[in-house]
Amino acid sequence: MTALWLIVLCGVLSVVYAIWATSSVLGADAGSPRMQEIAGAVREGAQAYLRRQYSTIGLVGIVIFLLLAYFLGVYVAIGFAIGAILSGAAGFIGMNVSVRANVRTAQAATTSLAGGLELAFKAGAITGLLVAGLALLGVTLYFGFLTYSLKLAPDSRTVVDAMVALGFGASLISIFARLGGGIFTKGADVGGDLVGKVEAGIPEDDPRNPATIADNVGDNVGDCAGMAADLFETYAVTAVATMVLAAIFFAKTPILANMMTLPLAIGGICIITSIIGTFFVKLGPSQSIMGALYKGLIATGILSLIGIAGVIYYLIGFGKLDGVDYTGAALFECGVVGLVVTALIIWITEYYTGTDYRPVKSIAQASVTGHGTNVIQGLAVSMEATALPALVIIAGILVTYSLAGLFGIAIATATMLALAGMIVALDAFGPVTDNAGGIAEMAGLPKEVRKSTDALDAVGNTTKAVTKGYAIGSAGLGALVLFAAYNQDLKFFVAGSAQQHTYFAGVNPDFSLNNPYVVVGLLFGGLLPYLFGAMGMTAVGRAAGAIVEEVRRQFREKPGIMQGTDKPDYGKAVDLLTKAAIKEMIIPSLLPVLSPIVVYFVIYAIAGGGAAGKSAAFSAVGAMLLGVIVTGLFVAISMTSGGGAWDNAKKYIEDGHFGGKGSDAHKSAVTGDTVGDPYKDTAGPAVNPMIKITNIVALLLLAILAH
Amino acid sequence: MTALWLIVLCGVLSVVYAIWATSSVLGADAGSPRMQEIAGAVREGAQAYLRRQYSTIGLVGIVIFLLLAYFLGVYVAIGFAIGAILSGAAGFIGMNVSVRANVRTAQAATTSLAGGLELAFKAGAITGLLVAGLALLGVTLYFGFLTYSLKLAPDSRTVVDAMVALGFGASLISIFARLGGGIFTKGADVGGDLVGKVEAGIPEDDPRNPATIADNVGDNVGDCAGMAADLFETYAVTAVATMVLAAIFFAKTPILANMMTLPLAIGGICIITSIIGTFFVKLGPSQSIMGALYKGLIATGILSLIGIAGVIYYLIGFGKLDGVDYTGAALFECGVVGLVVTALIIWITEYYTGTDYRPVKSIAQASVTGHGTNVIQGLAVSMEATALPALVIIAGILVTYSLAGLFGIAIATATMLALAGMIVALDAFGPVTDNAGGIAEMAGLPKEVRKSTDALDAVGNTTKAVTKGYAIGSAGLGALVLFAAYNQDLKFFVAGSAQQHTYFAGVNPDFSLNNPYVVVGLLFGGLLPYLFGAMGMTAVGRAAGAIVEEVRRQFREKPGIMQGTDKPDYGKAVDLLTKAAIKEMIIPSLLPVLSPIVVYFVIYAIAGGGAAGKSAAFSAVGAMLLGVIVTGLFVAISMTSGGGAWDNAKKYIEDGHFGGKGSDAHKSAVTGDTVGDPYKDTAGPAVNPMIKITNIVALLLLAILAH
């Protein structure tokens, strides 16, 4: 009980930090009236979009809430609501800070790079810590309420199902937010660039471009709110899955409650280390932005090591644990592996997306020979970028499994995610600086300001890729954990089939690769990320095409826009994208929700129904959970790293290499950047929540069938 | 014995057909001296390339031959040599016909489209029937030699290993030929287009472009010789894997020899139906080229249905089979499923790559808004194009497994492959018409001729995608067969570990998805197609870049080339590409050869050695075989269908849609086509032999460890 209160305290600390940082951000100079006017337009657009997005998701959410309440009881449904509401809140608050920090960052950058970085990073840290803090508070408080106030056993079905439903709520918000936000932001970006940069020959963020406000709105709703929801669900689902495994592996041991608390405690201590880490982010004399961010990250990492050791020692000790053949110390070592995996994935992502290394330079080089070679090299880099992260994940699985079995893998994943506060902070400062650059451009601030914000933005491209690689990497490492949760749940129901879970009588799933239903499940799971990715890409293409038409129409009907004598209608583009994004996000988002259910019943029917049909269907669904990760991992990493590399190859050329701005190489690089946009900001990152939803729906399906 | 001789007779028939068709092609009018001069240059370049490629592969082959002879005995090594030599021969002969048919097709097209089609298709049919015929002859004669002349038991290790080695020989040639040829052809194509079409503004195949002969050489060495080697190995490996399974499932039954003969007999009868089918390919009054090809295909399909029924009845009857619980009739039904799967994959591929349907039109439409949207939509289509084929394969697995278990899946796959003669014929006419168009352009033939060859070429883009989808689809359907061969071999060795295979003592592989080594294997297998694809794409980018530099150099140093007063140095580009392709093909080709071996020993060491280490390592290698198919299927289909769609979107615009030739949309479409080139002709198709090699090396590894 004390432990839970301490964890809650950590969560509260993150909220306190967020309040303090928000007041500090809002206290900064908001710039000239012209700047405030632009920022106001961006803010309004972003809020209007998020309102519509949340109302749409709300409708879906209410339906699911009622279904869950009907099938699994009200506590499970409340869990779902908590996950959904807190996930939405993290994104909503983060975005509201972001749309206020942007103009202040632009203003701060007029004096110094360090000032801009400080403000932008602080805004990012608010989102980061709220993501981690609210997720932790939600899971901990509801778990505490169920187990202490309602006196339910920690491993009772209601508690487990409620925790899973909490993860489901978060995932559902997340996939809609990632996809809707991603379609909005990239529709604006791609459409605006195509017609502005390429056709009209005006620079990015030129106020004459009617899509420019929408582009800045997109940064906030996609890269900030969408990303926050994504990481919230990754955090929540991982914590929940680890708790479910603990409930199974340590059932009927005296340390059960403590083992279930462990992932939460690791999350709690890492919130404190993340808060401390934020104060280490300071521009050194080398003026290296990445260096400043790394200082914060390394501080957080080292402090977390110590903190996690303390938490493990306090909760379960370093000695041998009850009921298993490994020690608390081994679990600590698994935590270390989680930190090392995080560090390696960050380092690899920086290598593939940073402007200092071979991959980005090779894309820039290939741009000299044309659009085609730029895209070919970009695709090659994107595919190559999957190999090392996959090997790191493989090594992580092998090492942690040998240390402490499946639970070791779970602890490594939980530790990885415990750093989310800091990682999201690194990422969420990206849209702020991107917006600051846009505002600087539109408000006609001096060129040096734009140079500062551009430098911040280039780093933002890498940190954005890092977060996505990290999120999907944790899914890869956690693949076995999620599958194990499914498998153990299934075993539990089968074991209890004689008494209450009669649906599972005679069910005997076979997860061997010899089983054709397993191969079928793997292949079906494998196709989901491809189909989902295709839908996301098509949606962006369609939205961008609509924007191109709209901007062309405005240019045609108001020739004064280009001469600067007439003002473009920014609101029209924002409106158009809002409608498009909301409409386009629905069907792809339902794909992972419905797939496990459809696969289950189709295979059940094909395999002849009865217990044999159920066994076949459960095997196929289980294999599907791994299939979706096997291809999803590669699709997601290739898209997010490839997209980042394309974007920075363009920036590298703009820095004066291979002919610089306006050269043919630059034009080719803009094409590559355009292609990379939906890759890295729409389809790629949405694969992560998609994988989680598939897994979580499968768990809920089991629970519903058992009722 | 009679059956084997009859099968040999079918193989001989295919050779007789090839000789007859060759003399008929060579008897056609070879056109004007100028045309012959151009064709001569293409022929010389292609022959020079193939000589160098085969000498390089020869060196690798001799090393492997010696290794196999040392580890597994001389009969196994001879099997390897037969597979390698015959695969090479199929490609070599096919290409030599192709380089002579091209000019004659151009000449025939001066009179009529029907004439051009007839000649080009006949040339393609030579390659097609040689591929099927030589593969069948090789497998059948060597199997007959081992079992009848040497009196070895059909299921003895020597026979099984020798058959597997035969498949390995074919696969090894295939991956080198696919990759080397693919790098050559697309390096020439991409490089030539970039500098010719985009920079210099001269049409494709303009004789002033120094890369134009190399481009035509590439069509022959990549699309003809490389493709032939690929399908040869798919055919051989599938036949061999089915025989291995028959050897296991029907061991010690009286029908063993007949069951092992069955896949060969299906292959034999389908050669006859394919030969008959070729005579149905005739341009109808509608002038539909695709329609003419379909007539031949449908005729072959229907006749094959009857033929396969006859073969099964003759060899094993339709009643219940010894030792298993299914009937001969069920196996016939599996054969029907194989034919249906083939038909569906062809139909789906045509939908995604044909100019008449939504996907290609959507890419053409997206070209209007620029390079970026063209590529985005192309990527979306490429990803979407994987879903239906995957579902067809899934359905195929489910249906055939329910009919006749694993052996049913094997028979379906064997039946699918039995049509290879006809399918390859449909494909191999593509490079002939592509070349004919090039020769027509360079020799300044009237525009109508080019129009005819272009119409043939557009159909060629679809049929090329069809063959690749078909090859990879058969790999997907056969995934379980290859895995089962591995698994059964492993069981066999473990069972015999007390006596002779002492290495396998105490080994107990666990292929359950609960086993972390299985998940690790799936992930590692999953990364192979990505890494391999990245290498292929990079190689093409590099080769194309070199060509761009070379062409620019020639234009710069000989300004007379563009005025037509000076002749470009075609040979230089051919030479440069030959060297680049040979160099670049080595390392990626070794990836699948070395991966199973490395994974085995690394996992063995990590899992602590001993019997437990061996069990873990065998589990991981087995899972790797499925992992490589799960992602490989999607990578390959997305690349080959996407590439075909991009190419035909360009052709659709050139036909006068969305602004036609020279419009901005056309320029964007050229970019998409360029991106699609290495996708569809280098990286994508090479994934198929890569999957097979990974599987076959795993089988050989087992055999070597057992010795």
Side-chain angles (χ1 to χ4, degrees):
Chain A
M1 194 64 193
T2 330
L4 282 189
W5 281 121
L6 286 174
I7 296 166
V8 168
L9 192 66
C10 294
V12 171
L13 255 183
S14 76
V15 177
V16 171
Y17 174 87
I19 294 170
W20 166 78
T22 304
S23 74
S24 147
V25 165
L26 293 184
D29 181 2
S32 67
R34 169 76 184 131
M35 286 162 72
Q36 293 188 33
E37 181 199 340
I38 298 163
V42 173
R43 190 169 61 238
E44 275 167 36
Q47 284 165 341
Y49 172 77
L50 226 55
R51 247 196 320 274
R52 284 198 55 167
Q53 180 179 279
Y54 282 160
S55 350
T56 312
I57 307 179
L59 286 179
V60 179
I62 288 170
V63 173
I64 295 180
F65 179 87
L66 294 174
L67 284 173
L68 286 177
Y70 176 76
F71 281 117
L72 295 171
V74 70
Y75 291 121
V76 175
I78 291 174
F80 168 80
I82 291 174
I85 290 168
L86 287 182
S87 168
F92 184 78
I93 300 170
M95 193 212 70
N96 268 294
V97 173
S98 177
V99 293
R100 286 169 178 87
N102 53 11
V103 63
R104 291 168 172 84
T105 300
Q107 178 63 21
T110 55
T111 20
S112 75
L113 179 64
L117 171 64
E118 197 196 325
L119 214 70
F121 179 75
K122 209 175 264 168
I126 295 168
T127 309
L129 282 156
L130 279 181
V131 162
L134 291 181
L136 192 65
L137 280 175
V139 175
T140 311
L141 285 174
Y142 199 50
F143 178 70
F145 170 76
L146 294 171
T147 54
Y148 289 94
S149 307
L150 294 185
K151 310 257 183 249
L152 293 165
D155 57 349
S156 73
R157 282 320 302 177
T158 307
V159 173
V160 170
D161 290 349
M163 290 291 113
V164 170
L166 195 152
F168 182 49
S171 293
L172 196 75
I173 293 291
S174 160
I175 195 163
F176 280 121
R178 259 298 187 200
L179 210 55
I183 293 168
F184 187 112
T185 180
K186 293 303 127 173
D189 196 352
V190 171
D193 276 6
L194 279 174
V195 78
K197 276 197 207 172
V198 181
E199 282 184 26
I202 52 178
E204 198 165 336
D205 297 317
D206 191 293
R208 290 170 294 180
N209 191 333
T212 189
I213 292 285
D215 187 8
N216 284 293
V217 168
D219 292 340
N220 291 297
V221 300
D223 298 346
C224 184
M227 184 273 296
D230 182 4
L231 268 290
F232 182 97
E233 73 85 39
T234 305
Y235 193 102
V237 170
T238 308
V240 163
T242 310
M243 290 171 78
V244 170
L245 275 194
I248 292 158
F249 290 142
F250 298 94
K252 305 190 180 64
T253 70
I255 53 168
L256 170 64
N258 280 2
M259 291 307 293
M260 284 185 80
T261 311
L262 184 58
L264 303 176
I266 292 176
I269 196 74
C270 287
I271 283 183
I272 298 178
T273 60
S274 296
I275 292 177
I276 301 174
T278 60
F279 294 101
F280 281 82
V281 176
K282 284 267 178 307
L283 211 58
S286 69
Q287 297 281 306
S288 159
I289 305 165
M290 206 69 206
L293 299 176
Y294 273 153
K295 270 189 281 183
L297 193 64
I298 292 169
T300 305
I302 293 172
L303 292 171
S304 298
L305 264 183
I306 303 167
I308 292 169
V311 158
I312 290 180
Y313 182 75
Y314 171 73
L315 275 177
I316 53 172
F318 284 146
K320 195 193 152 301
L321 300 169
D322 285 335
V324 293
D325 59 358
Y326 47 81
T327 61
L331 289 184
F332 171 65
E333 287 161 31
C334 293
V336 176
V337 171
L339 294 176
V340 171
V341 166
T342 307
L344 286 175
I345 286 185
I346 291 173
W347 180 75
I348 295 165
T349 312
E350 199 202 332
Y351 173 73
Y352 276 104
T353 59
T355 47
D356 291 339
Y357 306 98
R358 175 190 59 84
V360 167
K361 285 183 186 166
S362 76
I363 298 176
Q365 163 82 55
S367 310
V368 176
T369 39
H371 301 269
T373 39
N374 167 290
V375 177
I376 290 174
Q377 186 58 25
L379 287 171
V381 165
S382 78
M383 296 182 82
E384 188 194 311
T386 62
L388 287 178
L391 289 177
V392 167
I393 290 162
I394 287 172
I397 292 175
L398 290 173
V399 173
T400 50
Y401 183 76
S402 71
L403 284 169
L406 268 180
F407 198 67
I409 302 178
I411 288 296
T413 317
T415 306
M416 220 178 143
L417 263 307
L419 294 191
M422 189 67 192
I423 303 276
V424 172
L426 295 186
D427 181 334
F429 98 98
V432 176
T433 57
D434 201 348
N435 260 233
I439 292 170
E441 185 83 37
M442 280 187 273
L445 295 190
K447 267 201 173 161
E448 296 73 50
V449 180
R450 177 77 204 209
K451 223 180 144 193
S452 288
T453 60
D454 266 358
L456 290 166
D457 196 27
V459 171
N461 278 332
T462 295
T463 58
K464 270 163 67 180
V466 162
T467 321
K468 291 160 193 162
Y470 160 84
I472 188 75
S474 71
L477 189 60
L480 260 165
V481 177
L482 292 167
F483 176 75
Y486 172 82
N487 190 21
Q488 298 291 350
D489 254 20
L490 190 52
K491 273 191 194 157
F492 173 85
F493 290 128
V494 171
S497 61
Q499 301 91 42
Q500 50 195 135
H501 310 303
T502 47
Y503 183 84
F504 293 85
V507 168
N508 184 21
D510 167 17
F511 292 119
S512 165
L513 297 177
N514 291 308
N515 182 355
Y517 296 111
V518 165
V519 173
V520 161
L522 283 174
L523 288 175
F524 188 83
L527 96 75
L528 289 180
Y530 272 83
L531 188 54
F532 182 78
M535 287 173 170
M537 301 279 286
T538 310
V540 170
R542 239 184 331 241
I547 283 294
V548 167
E549 297 299 332
E550 168 61 21
V551 171
R552 280 185 187 160
R553 185 191 65 77
Q554 291 203 22
F555 280 160
R556 197 172 51 238
E557 292 176 8
K558 296 187 186 175
I561 294 178
M562 280 300 281
Q563 276 99 51
T565 57
D566 204 343
K567 272 186 76 174
D569 182 357
Y570 300 122
K572 190 93 191 181
V574 173
D575 226 48
L576 193 155
L577 279 167
T578 303
K579 281 182 199 138
I582 303 284
K583 197 183 81 187
E584 301 267 10
M585 76 182 180
I586 305 281
I587 293 179
S589 300
L590 291 179
L591 192 66
V593 176
L594 298 179
S595 289
I597 303 169
V598 171
V599 166
Y600 179 80
F601 287 105
V602 167
I603 297 286
Y604 172 74
I606 289 179
K614 288 173 192 170
S615 302
F618 284 125
S619 308
V621 170
M624 184 184 118
L625 305 185
L626 278 182
V628 72
I629 289 186
V630 171
T631 64
L633 184 72
F634 295 98
V635 168
I637 295 181
S638 67
M639 285 183 162
T640 54
S641 285
W646 260 315
D647 198 340
N648 274 342
K650 184 193 70 175
K651 286 219 158 45
Y652 185 73
I653 289 177
E654 286 173 352
D655 285 348
H657 301 93
F658 299 115
K661 261 192 180 170
S663 65
D664 280 346
H666 185 236
K667 283 189 192 123
S668 305
V670 169
T671 295
D673 177 35
T674 309
V675 174
D677 273 339
Y679 243 49
K680 73 178 196 299
D681 290 321
T682 314
V687 167
N688 178 39
M690 197 210 67
I691 293 174
K692 302 292 174 38
I693 291 197
T694 318
N695 277 277
I696 286 223
V697 170
L699 287 178
L700 286 174
L701 179 69
L702 287 183
I704 290 174
L705 292 175
H707 258 64
Chain B
M1 193 65 196
T2 330
L4 282 189
W5 282 120
L6 286 174
I7 295 165
V8 169
L9 192 66
C10 295
V12 171
L13 254 183
S14 76
V15 177
V16 171
Y17 174 87
I19 294 171
W20 166 77
T22 305
S23 73
S24 145
V25 166
L26 293 184
D29 182 1
S32 68
R34 169 78 182 131
M35 286 162 71
Q36 294 189 33
E37 181 198 342
I38 298 162
V42 173
R43 191 169 59 235
E44 274 167 37
Q47 284 166 341
Y49 172 76
L50 227 56
R51 248 198 318 275
R52 283 196 58 163
Q53 180 178 280
Y54 283 159
S55 347
T56 311
I57 306 179
L59 285 179
V60 179
I62 289 171
V63 173
I64 294 180
F65 178 87
L66 294 174
L67 285 173
L68 286 176
Y70 175 76
F71 281 116
L72 295 171
V74 70
Y75 291 122
V76 176
I78 290 175
F80 169 79
I82 291 174
I85 291 168
L86 287 182
S87 168
F92 185 78
I93 300 171
M95 193 212 71
N96 268 294
V97 173
S98 176
V99 291
R100 286 171 177 86
N102 53 11
V103 64
R104 292 170 172 84
T105 300
Q107 178 62 22
T110 55
T111 17
S112 75
L113 179 64
L117 171 65
E118 197 197 325
L119 213 69
F121 179 75
K122 208 175 267 169
I126 295 168
T127 308
L129 282 158
L130 278 183
V131 161
L134 291 182
L136 192 66
L137 280 175
V139 175
T140 311
L141 284 174
Y142 199 50
F143 178 70
F145 170 76
L146 294 172
T147 54
Y148 289 93
S149 306
L150 293 186
K151 311 259 181 248
L152 294 165
D155 58 349
S156 71
R157 283 318 302 174
T158 306
V159 173
V160 171
D161 290 347
M163 290 291 112
V164 170
L166 195 153
F168 182 49
S171 293
L172 197 75
I173 293 292
S174 158
I175 195 165
F176 280 120
R178 259 297 187 200
L179 210 55
I183 294 167
F184 187 112
T185 182
K186 292 303 127 173
D189 196 354
V190 171
D193 276 6
L194 279 173
V195 78
K197 277 195 207 173
V198 181
E199 281 185 25
I202 53 179
E204 199 166 336
D205 298 317
D206 190 292
R208 290 170 294 180
N209 191 334
T212 189
I213 291 286
D215 187 7
N216 284 294
V217 169
D219 292 340
N220 292 296
V221 301
D223 298 345
C224 183
M227 183 272 297
D230 182 3
L231 268 291
F232 183 97
E233 74 84 40
T234 306
Y235 193 103
V237 170
T238 309
V240 164
T242 311
M243 290 171 77
V244 170
L245 276 194
I248 292 157
F249 289 142
F250 299 94
K252 305 192 180 60
T253 71
I255 52 168
L256 170 63
N258 279 3
M259 290 309 290
M260 284 186 79
T261 310
L262 184 58
L264 303 176
I266 292 176
I269 197 74
C270 287
I271 283 184
I272 297 178
T273 59
S274 295
I275 292 177
I276 300 174
T278 61
F279 293 102
F280 282 81
V281 176
K282 285 264 178 309
L283 212 58
S286 70
Q287 296 282 303
S288 158
I289 305 167
M290 207 70 203
L293 298 177
Y294 273 153
K295 270 189 279 183
L297 194 62
I298 292 168
T300 304
I302 294 171
L303 292 171
S304 298
L305 264 184
I306 303 166
I308 293 169
V311 158
I312 290 180
Y313 183 74
Y314 170 72
L315 275 178
I316 53 172
F318 284 146
K320 194 190 153 302
L321 299 171
D322 285 335
V324 292
D325 59 358
Y326 46 80
T327 62
L331 288 184
F332 170 67
E333 288 161 33
C334 292
V336 176
V337 171
L339 294 176
V340 171
V341 166
T342 305
L344 286 175
I345 285 186
I346 291 173
W347 180 74
I348 294 164
T349 311
E350 199 202 334
Y351 174 73
Y352 277 104
T353 61
T355 47
D356 291 339
Y357 307 98
R358 175 191 59 83
V360 166
K361 284 182 187 166
S362 76
I363 298 176
Q365 163 83 54
S367 310
V368 176
T369 40
H371 301 269
T373 39
N374 166 290
V375 177
I376 290 174
Q377 186 59 24
L379 286 171
V381 165
S382 78
M383 295 181 83
E384 188 194 311
T386 62
L388 287 179
L391 289 176
V392 167
I393 290 163
I394 287 172
I397 292 176
L398 290 173
V399 173
T400 50
Y401 182 76
S402 72
L403 284 169
L406 268 180
F407 198 67
I409 302 178
I411 289 297
T413 318
T415 306
M416 219 176 144
L417 263 306
L419 294 190
M422 189 66 192
I423 303 276
V424 171
L426 295 186
D427 180 336
F429 98 99
V432 175
T433 56
D434 201 347
N435 261 233
I439 292 170
E441 185 82 36
M442 281 187 273
L445 295 190
K447 268 199 174 164
E448 296 73 51
V449 181
R450 177 78 204 210
K451 223 178 144 194
S452 289
T453 60
D454 265 359
L456 290 166
D457 195 27
V459 171
N461 278 331
T462 296
T463 58
K464 269 163 66 180
V466 162
T467 322
K468 290 161 194 162
Y470 161 83
I472 189 75
S474 72
L477 190 61
L480 259 164
V481 177
L482 292 167
F483 177 74
Y486 172 82
N487 190 19
Q488 298 290 352
D489 254 19
L490 190 52
K491 273 191 196 158
F492 174 84
F493 290 129
V494 171
S497 62
Q499 302 91 42
Q500 48 195 132
H501 310 304
T502 47
Y503 183 86
F504 293 84
V507 168
N508 184 21
D510 166 17
F511 292 119
S512 165
L513 297 177
N514 291 309
N515 182 354
Y517 295 111
V518 165
V519 174
V520 160
L522 284 173
L523 288 175
F524 188 83
L527 95 75
L528 289 181
Y530 272 84
L531 188 54
F532 183 78
M535 287 175 171
M537 300 280 286
T538 310
V540 170
R542 240 187 325 244
I547 283 295
V548 168
E549 297 299 331
E550 169 62 22
V551 172
R552 281 184 186 160
R553 185 190 65 78
Q554 291 202 23
F555 280 161
R556 197 171 54 238
E557 292 177 7
K558 295 187 186 177
I561 294 178
M562 280 300 281
Q563 278 99 49
T565 57
D566 205 344
K567 274 186 74 175
D569 182 356
Y570 301 121
K572 191 92 190 183
V574 173
D575 226 47
L576 195 154
L577 279 166
T578 303
K579 281 183 200 138
I582 303 283
K583 198 182 82 187
E584 302 266 10
M585 76 180 181
I586 305 282
I587 292 179
S589 300
L590 291 179
L591 192 64
V593 177
L594 298 178
S595 288
I597 303 170
V598 170
V599 166
Y600 180 80
F601 287 105
V602 168
I603 298 287
Y604 172 74
I606 289 179
K614 288 173 193 170
S615 303
F618 284 124
S619 308
V621 169
M624 184 183 117
L625 304 185
L626 279 181
V628 72
I629 289 184
V630 171
T631 64
L633 184 72
F634 295 99
V635 168
I637 295 180
S638 67
M639 286 184 161
T640 54
S641 285
W646 260 314
D647 198 339
N648 274 342
K650 184 193 69 175
K651 288 221 155 45
Y652 185 73
I653 289 178
E654 286 174 352
D655 285 348
H657 302 92
F658 299 115
K661 260 193 180 171
S663 65
D664 280 347
H666 184 235
K667 284 193 191 118
S668 306
V670 170
T671 294
D673 177 35
T674 308
V675 174
D677 273 338
Y679 243 50
K680 73 178 197 299
D681 290 321
T682 313
V687 167
N688 179 39
M690 197 209 67
I691 293 173
K692 303 290 175 39
I693 290 197
T694 317
N695 278 278
I696 286 222
V697 170
L699 287 178
L700 286 175
L701 179 67
L702 286 184
I704 290 173
L705 291 175
H707 258 63

